[in-house]
Amino acid sequence: MTLAPILSKTSYKYPQKSREIPKMPRQKIEIPLNCTGYNTTRKCPSNYPTTYNPEEDHDRPPPPTCPDYFRWIHEDLRPWAHTGISKDMVERAKRTANFRLVIVNGKAYVEKYQKSFQTRDVFTVWGILQLLRRYPGRVPDLDLMFDCVDWPVVLSKAYSGPNATSPPPVFRYCGDDDSLDIVFPDWSFWGWSEINIKPWVHLLKDLKEGNNRTKWVDREPYAYWKGNPAVAATRQDLLKCNVSDKQDWNARVYAQDWGREIKEGYKQSNLASQCIHRYKVYIEGSAWSVSEKYILACDSVTLLVKPRYYDFFTRGLVPKQHYWPTKDDDKCRSIKFAVDWGNSHQKEAQEIGKAASDFIQEKLKMEYVYDYMFHLLNEYAKLLQYKPTVPPKATELCSEAMACRENGLNKKFMRDSMVNSPADSGPCTLPPPYGPSSIYSVLQKKTNSIKEVELWEKKYWENQDKQQ
C-alpha cells in the first residue's frame, strides 16, 4: 500500500528573504558660517546645535581607544587630583595669562588680559570654538587661564614642601620636567598666518604627497635643518655643524630669513617641498618648537637634539623607533655619527623615518587633536570645585564673531579649518592613567634606548680616532 504524502502548510519550508526595512542614515547637521546675520546683529547665532550624540545609534561601532599619549592628560592634572581646583587657584593663574576662557552651557566666553605674540591667542580660541562645533553640548562648563608664551612658568619647586600652596592651573603649549603647566595643542593646527603655514588638516595631506615625490634612498644623504637661529644659543651652535672647506659633519644647515620670505611670497618655505633629505634635524628654539610635527612627518629620520621641553603628543615618541636621539652638547659629532650610521643601516633608518611619519599621519590626525582637547578639558572640568559663571568683562565668542571680521590669510585659514558639522562619532576612549610601575617602565625604556645610542656613538668615535 502506497502511503499518500502528508501535506500541510508546514511540511516543506523554503528559505525566504526577510524584507528588511532600510535604516535611514543619520541626518548630517550642517553648521554654516552666517556672516550676513552676524554683521546685521553683531550677535552669535542662536540656532547652533546644542546636543548631538552619535552613540545613540547602536549599530555604529564603538569609538577606538585614544593613542597612548593621551594617558599624559592624567599626569598633567595630577597636581590637583586630591585637592580639586578652586576659583582662587584659577584667579592666581591670571598673573601671566593672555586670556581667560569660560564655557557655560556650550557657549564660549573670553576675557582678554594681554595680546599674545602674533595671532597665537586668536587661533587657539578659534580651535576651541571648532571643538564646540564638533562636539556640541558635550564640552562641560569650565573656567581656565591660558598663557600663550613659549616657556612654562609654574615651577614645581615653588609648590612643594609641607607649607606649600596648591599650584595655579595654567594652560600653555609646552611643559618640562621642572614645571606643572598643562599642555594643550598649539595654535598652528588651525594655521599660522604670519608665516603662511596652512591648517593641519590640509598641510598633513601636502606633507604626505611631498613624501611620495622622492623615495628615501634617492634623497640627499645628509641631515637638513632650516630655521631661525636668532631665538636660541643652541641653534646658533648648530650653525657650526654646516659643511665647510675644512670639515663635513654630514649636515646642511640654513638660517631662515622670514622677512625676506614674506617679501618674496614664501617661495622657499613650502614645508611639503622640504622632504628631500634622508635626515632632518629638530632643535628647540626659545622653548619647544611647532616645527617638530612637520619634521617628523617627512619620512626622513628625525635627528632630535636632546630636548628640554615637550608638547602634548611628543611624550608618545620613542627613541630609535620614531627618532634618533642626538646630543645637545656635542651636536656636530653626534649628527655625523647618526648620518653615517643611517647610511650604513639603510633598512633600519628607513623604518625609523616611516614610523615617525605614520605616527604623525595616523595618531596626530586632526580628529585626535580635537579628541585630546575634549578629554583634557573634560577631565579638567571634573576637578573644578565651583560652578563657572561668565566674567563681567568677558565677551561671547563664536565662529562668526571671529571669522566674519577677519581679512586675508587669517580669514582664509579660519574658513579652511572650520568644523562644518558635528562629528559622526563620539571622541575616542580615554585610556586609564599610568600606574607608578608602568610610567617608570616607559621612562626607563626611553632612557635605555638613548644610552645605547650614546654607547654606539662613543665606540664610533673611538674607532675614528684609532684610524687617524
Side-chain angles (χ1 to χ4, degrees), residues 108-258:
Y109 303 85
V110 173
E111 182 178 1
K112 295 182 180 180
Y113 299 130
Q114 51 188 323
K115 187 74 181 74
S116 74
F117 177 65
Q118 296 182 338
T119 50
R120 292 181 177 199
D121 53 350
V122 172
F123 278 90
T124 299
V125 173
W126 174 259
I128 294 169
L129 292 179
Q130 302 321 299
L131 174 69
L132 297 179
R133 290 165 73 96
R134 180 173 175 81
Y135 296 126
R138 301 191 62 171
V139 179
D141 290 2
L142 56 86
D143 180 9
L144 65 82
M145 297 284 187
F146 207 107
D147 185 342
C148 300
V149 176
D150 281 340
W151 45 89
V153 296
V154 186
L155 302 181
S156 306
K157 62 183 180 182
Y159 301 96
S160 59
N163 299 319
T165 58
S166 296
V170 177
F171 283 72
R172 69 174 348 94
Y173 308 120
C174 73
D176 66 8
D177 292 339
D178 299 324
S179 64
L180 302 174
D181 300 63
I182 302 168
V183 293
F184 193 83
D186 71 82
W187 74 94
S188 68
F189 283 99
W190 297 273
W192 190 352
S193 57
E194 286 84 2
I195 56 174
N196 196 37
I197 290 181
K198 295 178 183 178
W200 188 234
V201 69
H202 299 290
L203 182 57
L204 206 53
K205 294 176 183 175
D206 291 351
L207 288 166
K208 192 169 188 177
E209 291 172 5
N211 274 344
N212 294 332
R213 288 178 205 151
T214 310
K215 292 181 180 179
W216 189 92
V217 293
D218 297 328
R219 297 182 183 187
E220 295 288 328
Y222 303 109
Y224 171 90
W225 180 82
K226 188 175 186 179
N228 181 3
V231 297
T234 186
R235 288 189 174 187
Q236 293 168 23
D237 189 44
L238 178 66
L239 294 181
K240 298 174 185 175
C241 304
N242 218 342
V243 63
S244 67
D245 296 336
K246 298 179 180 179
Q247 182 71 52
D248 188 352
W249 295 108
N250 290 336
R252 301 296 182 262
V253 182
Y254 304 91
Q256 175 73 290
D257 184 344
W258 281 114

Side-chain angles (χ1 to χ4, degrees), residues 55 57 84 89 104 115 117 141 278 304 352 412 433 461:
E55 289 91 340
D57 184 348
M89 292 179 198
V104 175
K115 187 74 181 74
F117 177 65
D141 290 2
R278 291 182 182 178
L304 200 148
I352 294 172
K412 174 176 169 48
W461 284 110

Side-chain angles (χ1 to χ4, degrees), residues 274-312:
Q274 293 182 13
C275 298
I276 58 173
H277 293 76
R278 291 182 182 178
Y279 312 89
K280 294 193 74 173
V281 177
Y282 168 75
I283 185 168
E284 293 178 336
S286 57
W288 131 103
S289 170
V290 299
S291 64
E292 189 163 11
K293 57 183 175 291
Y294 311 133
I295 291 169
L296 288 162
C298 235
D299 267 4
S300 307
V301 180
T302 297
L303 308 186
L304 200 148
V305 178
K306 185 180 178 180
R308 172 178 173 178
Y309 301 95
Y310 53 79
D311 70 3
F312 77 102

